[in-house]
Amino acid sequence: MTATSWLDLLLREAGADEIDAYRAQRLAESADAAAVEAETRRALQLSALLRDRGQRVAELAALSRIAARLTSVRDLSELLTDIAVQARQLLRTDVAYLALVEGDGMSIRYMDGAVGPSFGDIQLSLTQGLAGRVVQTGRASWTTDYLDDASFQHVEHADRLAGDEQLRGILGVPLTARGEILGVLFAAERSARPFTESETSLLSGLAGHAAVALENARLLAAERRTADELRTSAAAVDRAIVLHERLLGAAVRGGGPAAVVQSLSEVLDTPVQLLDATDGLLAGPDLPTPSASGAFPPGDLRTVRQDDLVLCPVVAAEDYLGCLVLHGDVDSAQVRLLERGALGIALSLVQARAVADAATRSAGEVLAALVEGGEPEVLERRASAVR
């Protein structure tokens, strides 16, 4: 299409080649070369301005789309990958990638652009290299030619990655949330290239969205953990109430240790055994039993885990009376219920021992009275106490 004016060229966003061709046409048609050159300069300036405005519109639209998705996208991986895609496209670089802080280093997790299979295997330093400079300063940083830049301390494996991927111009901006740096967003070129202030600002905007997404995911995970803990706590309270009622019923009915063990097994929904001080089975199912008495060092009568068993000592006044054995994988709340049951059993065993001792003393007193002689009424009362 032959242009009829500079305006036609600008309206269809003609490139520099078309503008230069029209300049040659105008020079051939006009004797006023100075005017043609002046018009050409203005046309080139307006063309550059329009391209810049168009680029800014595209950038703002991309940032707006990502911001809108922050509250709706549940797949964090999808969103962060999209941020890498937008970074590469808007900055027109060969590669864009996000490195997230993990432990004492950073791992490349999300990327866009043609890279080798080992690209995501590299751990970046938090203190060295371009990545380290971004993390340590908390500010954006770029290099025109990474491998030839002596302004920062190089890291061998990061240099090897840059060499393998032929990365030269690299811009990195921090992902910051609540004053904490969560990672770095990079845009990289396979040729020497400086980065402008507007490009740094754009990448920082994308990094800000990535940081918000990461922080939202972290807060959501924390909320879920709290909710799970509350549900677990509520379930533990419910089990504790049920166990309390069962233990109270066993005490009222006089069921003894066997009734307590049965209640524990039902409330915890797992087999429970009661062993005496010599590891003999007093109550519970006939299952293989451990050497429980040897599991507790002298002076350290605390609950212990042994493979898939929980051993809870039954103690009264530091006197080892036996052990509750719980079979299965249980949580700390269930262990606390087991320990509560051990207290009930200890009380039951102490009471039984006291009754037996009292009966033995009464029988001895009756025998002594018969030998020594005594009033028939007194002997009758003592004999009734022994029955």
Side-chain angles (χ1 to χ4, degrees), residues 245-382:
E245 293 174 349
R246 296 282 185 87
L247 294 180
L248 184 61
V252 171
R253 293 190 301 270
V260 175
V261 171
Q262 179 64 26
S263 296
L264 282 169
S265 296
E266 292 173 357
V267 171
L268 299 176
D269 193 26
T270 189
V272 178
Q273 296 172 301
L274 173 62
L275 309 182
D276 62 20
T278 60
D279 297 338
L281 181 63
L282 290 179
D286 186 14
L287 297 173
T289 58
S291 177
S293 57
F296 307 106
D300 188 13
L301 296 175
R302 291 180 295 181
T303 301
V304 298
R305 291 182 182 269
Q306 192 178 89
D307 298 327
D308 60 343
L309 304 176
V310 177
L311 309 181
C312 178
V314 177
V315 181
E318 299 184 0
D319 184 15
Y320 178 73
L321 305 179
C323 175
L324 282 173
V325 181
L326 188 149
H327 295 255
D329 184 21
V330 295
D331 56 32
S332 57
Q334 289 173 294
V335 171
R336 287 194 296 271
L337 291 178
L338 187 71
E339 291 171 340
R340 186 170 182 175
L343 291 175
I345 289 176
L347 178 60
S348 177
L349 291 175
V350 169
Q351 288 175 337
R353 180 184 294 178
V355 169
D357 289 345
T360 300
R361 286 196 302 273
S362 296
E365 291 173 359
V366 170
L367 180 61
L370 286 172
V371 172
E372 297 172 358
E375 296 294 329
E377 295 82 359
V378 175
L379 292 175
E380 178 63 28
R381 285 197 302 273
R382 289 181 176 176

Side-chain angles (χ1 to χ4, degrees), residues 25-37:
Q25 177 186 330
R26 292 283 293 158
L27 287 173
E29 296 172 350
S30 173
D32 190 353
V36 172
E37 295 294 349

Side-chain angles (χ1 to χ4, degrees), residues 157-176:
H157 58 268
D159 285 1
R160 185 169 60 253
L161 172 66
D164 292 343
E165 297 294 335
Q166 299 179 0
L167 300 180
R168 301 181 67 184
I170 304 176
L171 167 64
V173 297
L175 277 62
T176 307

Side-chain angles (χ1 to χ4, degrees), residues 45-105:
Q45 290 170 351
L46 284 171
S47 178
L49 180 60
L50 289 173
R51 284 198 304 273
D52 184 63
R53 293 287 173 83
Q55 173 72 7
R56 293 301 298 165
V57 169
E59 293 170 0
L60 292 173
L63 290 173
S64 178
R65 285 195 303 271
I66 292 174
R69 294 176 62 194
L70 286 176
T71 58
S72 60
V73 174
R74 297 300 179 187
D75 188 342
L76 178 65
S77 177
E78 175 189 332
L79 181 59
L80 295 179
T81 299
D82 189 43
I83 287 175
V85 171
Q86 295 295 329
R88 187 181 71 84
Q89 291 178 352
L90 293 174
L91 271 70
R92 297 184 175 89
T93 57
D94 294 314
V95 181
Y97 51 99
L98 286 94
L100 304 184
V101 174
E102 295 180 357
D104 57 356

Side-chain angles (χ1 to χ4, degrees), residues 99-118:
L100 304 184
V101 174
E102 295 180 357
D104 57 356
M106 279 190 295
S107 300
I108 299 174
R109 293 302 182 198
Y110 308 95
M111 65 198 77
D112 184 56
V115 294
S118 63

